[in-house]
Amino acid sequence: MYRMNGAQLTIRLLERFGIDIIAGIPGGSNLPLYDALSQSTTIRHVLARHEQGAGFIAQGMARSSGRPAVCFATSGPGATNVMTAIADAKLDSIPIICITGQVPKSLIGTDAFQEIDTYGMSIPITKHNFLVRSSGELLSVVPAAFRIAAQGRPGPVLIDIPKDVQLEMAEFDSWPDLPQEKKSRQYAGSDLELAAAMINGAEKPILYLGGGVMHGNASAAAAGLAEKNSLPTTMTLLGLGSIPADHPLALGMLGMHAARYTNMALEECDLLIVAGARFDDRATGKMNEFCPNARVIHIDIDPGEINKLRTADMQLVGDVGDVFREMMPMIEQRRRSGWLERIRQLKREYPFIMPGQDDPCMPYGLIRQIAAIADDETIIATDVGKHQMWVAQAYPFRRSRQLLTSGGLGTMGFGLPAAIGAALAHPQRTIVCFSGDGSILMNIQEFATAAEHRVNLKVFVLDNTSLGLVRQQQNLFFDKHYFASEYTNHVDFVTIARGFGLQAFALGTAEDPVAALTEAMRTEGPCLVHVPIGRDEEVYPMVPPGAANKEMIGGENHAGA
Ligand SMILES: Cc1ncc(C[n+]2csc(CCOP(=O)(O)OP(=O)(O)O)c2C)c(N)n1
Ligand SMILES: [Mg+2]
C-alpha cells in the first residue's frame, strides 16, 4: 500500500515515466507540486523567466528528442502565459504535457484570486485536457496524458490540478504502467497494392514529406522508397531533413519561399505521394491550382487530414513508416531517366539564387558559413521571420529533428527557449539559434535561464532593424508604405547579452568575420552574435499570399538561364 498526496503522486509518476527535466515557474496554486518536486532525486527543475519560455523549453526538448516533455505553470496568469506555447505545439503536433495549478475546488467559479478557466481556455488548443477532481484520479490521468500526447498524431495535453487535490492524500496498491503505443492502421494489403501500382505506373511522380515523417521516425524508409523508384522528393518546412538536402533526389522545401524549380516541378507532376503532411496553405499556395495534373496518394496517421483540403485518390491512414516499409516490396525498381532529366532541366532553368552566399555578413552567407563550421549533430532552432525562411532555404539539413521551427502557428519568440530546451535535452551537442531583432525581444528574458544552466547555445541575431517579413509584404503589396515595421530605437544586443551573463560578439565590427564566427561557435556555454543586416535584404522567391505557387515573384536568374 502506497500513501502520498496528489502532488507527490504526480511527481513520482513523472519520474517513473522517464521525465528528468521540468521547466516551469511556481506560484500559489502549484506550490504543493513544487514542494514535491524539491524532493525528487531524478528530476531537475529549470526555472524559466516566463511561462511561455517554459512551454517552449518543453517544446525544444520534445522536438529534439521525439519524447513527451513537461512544463509547469501556476493558475491564472501562469496558465494564460503558457497558452501560446501550447497552441504552437498543437499546430505542429508536438507532444508536451503542461501541468497547471488551479485554485482549490471549493473556489472554482467564484473569481477567486488567480482563478481562470484554464480547462475551458485550453480546449481548442490542446489534443486533450483534464481537470483533476481527486488525487486518486491522477493514477489514470497522468498515464493517459502520456499516451495521448505521444500516440498517433502527437500533440499537447494539459492537466489542471486544483491545489486541494495536490494536497489530498491518495492510497493505492500498485503503480500504473506507461501505456504501450498502439498503432492505428486503417488500410488493407490491397490498398497498399493499389497505391504501389499508382506509383509504379506514374510518369512524373513526386514524394511530398511533412512533419509526420519526423514524428513517425520514417525518414530512412522514405529515402529507401524514393531511391528504389527514383522519386524526386520535396519537403515542408517541418519535413526538412527527412531526406538530406544534398540527396540527388531532394527538391528542397515547397511553397511560398521554395526554389522556383521545386514549385515548377510540382506543376508538372502527375502523382503526388503525400506523407505526414496536411496541405498547409504556405505549402500549397492557391489550393485549386496546386499540382493541377496530379492524382494524390495521402498517407497520414490522422484520418481527419484526409480529404480536408485536397481530395485524395488513394488514402492510407496509418503510421507513415509502416506504410513505406510494407509497400517497399511492391515498388518497382525504376530509373525514370526522362523525368529526372526534366527535373535537372528545371533546376538549370529556374535555379535557386542566393545573393551574398559567399559573404558571411550577408544572410545566406552567414547561414552557409555556420553550416560549414557545424556538424550534422548540431541542432538548429529559428525564430519567425525572414531569417527563418533564409535558414529553411539555405541550411543544408541532413537529418530529421535537426531543425526546430514554429511552422503552423509561426510564433515569434519560439527560437531562444526552444533552443534552450534542445540544449538541456542534448547537453553533448551544439545548439544554434537564428533569430531576428524582433523575435528575440519576445522571449529575451530566457537568456537568464540559458546563462544559469550554461547551455551550449549560440544565438545569431540577424538585425535588420525591422519586422522584416512584415516590411517585405508592405514593400511588395502595400506600395512600400512602411508602417509599424521599422524600429527607430536600436537595441544594443551585445551589451544586453553581456548583462545577462552571456559572451557576445559583434560581427559588424569584426576584422575577420569567419574567424569571429568560428570563435563564437567554439565558445563554451551560451553566447550571442550580433549580425547587422540591411533592411532591404528580402526573401526571394515568394508566392504572393493567396496566389498560385507558379506565380512566384523575385529570385530570377538574372544571368539568364
Ligand atoms: C507573436 C507574433 N506576433 C506577430 C507575428 C507577425 N510577424 C511575422 S514575421 C514578423 C517579423 C519578425 O521580425 P524579426 O524577428 O526581426 O525577423 P525578420 O523578418 O526581420 O528576419 C512579424 C511581426 C508573429 N509571427 N508572431
Ligand atoms: Mg528583423
Side-chain angles (χ1 to χ4, degrees):
M1 172 84 94
Y2 300 97
R3 196 178 138 76
M4 62 192 73
N5 71 26
Q8 293 161 333
L9 175 50
T10 304
I11 299 298
R12 294 289 297 276
L13 286 168
L14 295 176
E15 288 171 345
R16 294 177 70 87
F17 295 163
I19 295 300
D20 53 9
I21 298 175
I22 293 174
I25 299 185
S29 296
N30 65 356
L31 270 176
L33 277 167
Y34 268 87
D35 195 49
L37 181 56
S38 75
Q39 302 304 308
S40 175
T41 52
T42 56
I43 303 181
R44 167 177 169 201
H45 181 253
V46 172
L47 180 61
R49 277 13 183 209
H50 187 297
E51 287 84 357
Q52 188 184 119
F56 282 133
I57 289 172
Q59 274 218 39
M61 295 191 278
R63 286 185 191 244
S64 61
S65 71
R67 290 191 303 275
V70 176
C71 60
F72 278 4
T74 192
S75 64
T80 53
N81 272 353
V82 81
M83 291 287 168
T84 298
I86 296 175
D88 188 279
K90 176 73 161 48
L91 277 157
D92 286 351
S93 307
I94 307 301
I96 59 169
I97 297 169
C98 177
I99 301 183
T100 44
Q102 183 54 280
V103 301
K105 283 201 304 287
S106 58
L107 290 180
I108 289 180
T110 67
D111 293 336
F113 178 64
Q114 294 192 331
E115 184 198 358
I116 206 82
D117 179 6
T118 308
Y119 178 85
M121 278 187 67
S122 61
I123 288 173
I125 56 165
T126 48
K127 185 173 172 193
H128 197 72
N129 61 359
F130 298 92
L131 173 58
V132 184
R133 289 176 184 76
S134 73
S135 55
E137 266 178 46
L138 289 161
L139 287 164
S140 56
V141 165
V142 177
F146 274 79
R147 174 176 54 77
I148 294 167
Q151 197 170 297
R153 179 178 182 169
V157 176
L158 182 131
I159 309 176
D160 199 28
I161 315 180
K163 191 171 184 179
D164 57 321
V165 175
Q166 296 172 42
L167 292 168
E168 184 188 38
M169 295 308 277
E171 289 181 354
F172 53 99
D173 292 327
S174 62
W175 290 100
D177 288 329
L178 190 61
Q180 290 300 309
E181 194 185 339
K182 269 192 265 113
K183 283 187 178 173
S184 77
R185 184 195 152 99
Q186 299 177 22
Y187 56 88
S190 55
D191 294 326
L192 288 172
E193 277 165 26
L194 278 173
M198 284 169 77
I199 295 171
N200 293 331
E203 286 308 314
K204 297 176 168 186
I206 288 183
L207 186 58
Y208 165 172
L209 305 177
V213 174
M214 163 187 84
H215 294 308
N217 297 319
S219 49
L225 192 84
E227 284 160 12
K228 188 169 184 190
N229 199 261
S230 296
L231 301 169
T233 303
T234 186
M235 290 159 276
T236 67
L237 178 62
L238 293 187
L240 286 174
S242 297
I243 70 164
D246 53 1
H247 193 289
L249 291 166
L251 282 176
M253 180 174 73
L254 77 160
M256 184 175 269
H257 291 292
R260 282 174 175 263
Y261 62 75
T262 311
N263 285 344
M264 297 308 279
L266 284 157
E267 277 297 301
E268 293 184 16
C269 82
D270 66 354
L271 178 69
L272 200 56
I273 307 144
V274 190
R278 58 186 176 86
F279 293 99
D280 179 81
D281 53 89
R282 282 291 186 274
T284 64
K286 194 173 182 182
M287 179 55 76
N288 53 17
E289 291 181 39
F290 179 62
C291 297
N293 308 318
R295 294 205 293 163
V296 169
I297 299 174
H298 197 169
I299 307 164
D300 206 288
I301 195 122
D302 180 357
E305 289 298 344
I306 312 282
N307 298 328
K308 183 179 90 177
L309 288 162
R310 168 92 183 221
T311 308
D313 299 276
M314 180 73 217
Q315 64 189 58
L316 296 164
V317 174
D319 178 83
V320 177
D322 286 351
V323 169
F324 284 155
R325 280 182 291 270
E326 289 166 27
M327 202 191 264
M328 193 68 168
M330 307 167 192
I331 294 292
E332 287 167 9
Q333 193 97 40
R334 284 197 58 174
R335 292 183 50 211
R336 299 197 183 278
S337 39
W339 179 219
L340 295 190
E341 178 48 38
R342 175 65 186 146
I343 299 270
R344 279 191 291 274
Q345 190 186 357
L346 287 171
K347 285 188 175 179
R348 285 193 298 273
E349 261 177 60
Y350 304 100
F352 180 62
I353 316 282
M354 286 191 270
Q357 61 173 318
D358 297 320
D359 180 349
C361 296
M362 297 281 280
Y364 291 119
L366 172 82
I367 292 159
R368 304 292 289 186
Q369 186 61 46
I370 298 303
I373 300 170
D375 58 23
D376 284 347
E377 293 300 296
T378 306
I379 295 171
I380 311 295
T382 78
D383 255 303
V384 171
K386 280 181 187 172
H387 61 278
Q388 176 190 32
M389 291 299 113
W390 285 322
V391 170
Q393 292 174 327
Y395 199 97
F397 293 104
R398 303 196 73 255
R399 59 175 181 83
S400 266
R401 304 197 185 283
Q402 194 177 2
L403 169 64
L404 316 183
T405 197
S406 169
L409 199 63
T411 312
M412 291 169 70
F414 169 93
L416 173 59
I420 293 172
L424 292 166
H426 297 92
Q428 72 290 2
R429 295 196 189 180
T430 302
I431 316 297
V432 167
C433 173
F434 290 103
S435 186
D437 52 317
S439 294
I440 195 70
L441 288 173
M442 290 218 183
N443 273 317
I444 196 157
Q445 75 286 344
E446 300 309 328
F447 274 140
T449 316
E452 197 159 271
H453 292 269
R454 288 202 54 75
V455 291
N456 186 16
L457 168 60
K458 322 299 159 203
V459 180
F460 296 84
V461 177
L462 279 68
D463 183 357
N464 51 12
T465 63
S466 59
L467 297 165
L469 209 51
V470 172
R471 188 178 179 276
Q472 175 163 345
Q473 293 217 22
Q474 291 174 336
N475 172 21
L476 297 174
F477 313 119
F478 293 87
D479 296 328
K480 298 189 190 299
H481 181 200
Y482 300 125
F483 180 69
S485 60
E486 296 179 344
Y487 292 129
T488 46
N489 177 46
H490 295 172
V491 173
D492 181 349
F493 289 104
V494 166
T495 300
I496 288 200
R498 290 186 181 141
F500 276 109
L502 270 69
Q503 295 216 47
F505 302 82
L507 202 65
T509 53
E511 268 175 34
D512 181 345
V514 174
L517 292 173
T518 309
E519 191 192 337
M521 287 292 282
R522 296 210 177 118
T523 299
E524 266 183 52
C527 74
L528 173 142
V529 182
H530 178 254
V531 188
I533 299 281
R535 271 187 185 164
D536 292 318
E537 296 300 328
E538 306 286 41
V539 191
Y540 285 126
M542 177 180 194
V543 178
N549 277 355
K550 63 171 181 279
E551 291 159 25
M552 296 198 94
I553 53 176
E556 290 91 349
N557 184 7
H558 296 294

